[in-house]
Amino acid sequence: DLDVPRPLQKLCATSDPASQGLEGSMRVDSLGQRRVYLHPNESASMSDLDPEIVDAAREAAGAEAMAQLMMASIQETMETSRAVEESLQGVLYNVHFHRPADCG
């Protein structure tokens, strides 16, 4: 699992993701019993992130995509094999082999 980088997170006093985020300098004790909501920070960009985090996220996404492609290919192969096997149920072949007389 990959943690969501801090610049992509926004703490808000309301459940509306479009609402303004709380100030980073706000003290927890000033919130009292009010709820705090965690929303995605829509104003953040990739340039706000640590390049190592961006590279790790891209690598993880690439590995996940590759794994999904491989699983899809395996699934398709299994389904094809099963369909061929089912289609051949009850099919019998009578095969005769003829050896040429001059082969010894």
Side-chain angles (χ1 to χ4, degrees):
D1 293 324
L2 187 64
D3 291 334
V4 177
R6 187 170 285 167
L8 298 180
Q9 303 173 25
K10 176 174 68 170
L11 294 175
C12 298
T14 70
S15 62
D16 178 17
S19 65
Q20 183 176 354
L22 297 174
E23 292 183 33
S25 61
M26 179 179 274
R27 296 181 47 89
V28 174
D29 58 353
S30 69
L31 294 171
Q33 296 295 317
R34 293 187 300 171
R35 290 184 181 197
V36 176
Y37 299 86
L38 177 62
H39 296 295
N41 186 358
E42 302 295 337
S43 65
S45 69
M46 291 300 266
S47 62
D48 296 330
L49 300 176
D50 181 351
E52 288 182 19
I53 292 173
V54 173
D55 290 343
R58 284 187 179 138
E59 186 175 311
E64 177 71 21
M66 182 63 76
Q68 287 178 353
L69 285 173
M70 289 176 60
M71 290 304 295
S73 177
I74 291 169
Q75 176 90 21
E76 182 179 356
T77 301
M78 289 173 56
E79 289 173 2
T80 301
S81 296
R82 190 174 317 132
V84 168
E85 185 178 332
E86 288 175 6
S87 72
L88 293 175
Q89 289 292 323
V91 174
L92 298 175
Y93 288 95
N94 207 357
V95 180
H96 299 279
F97 293 95
H98 297 278
R99 187 178 81 174
D102 62 346
C103 74

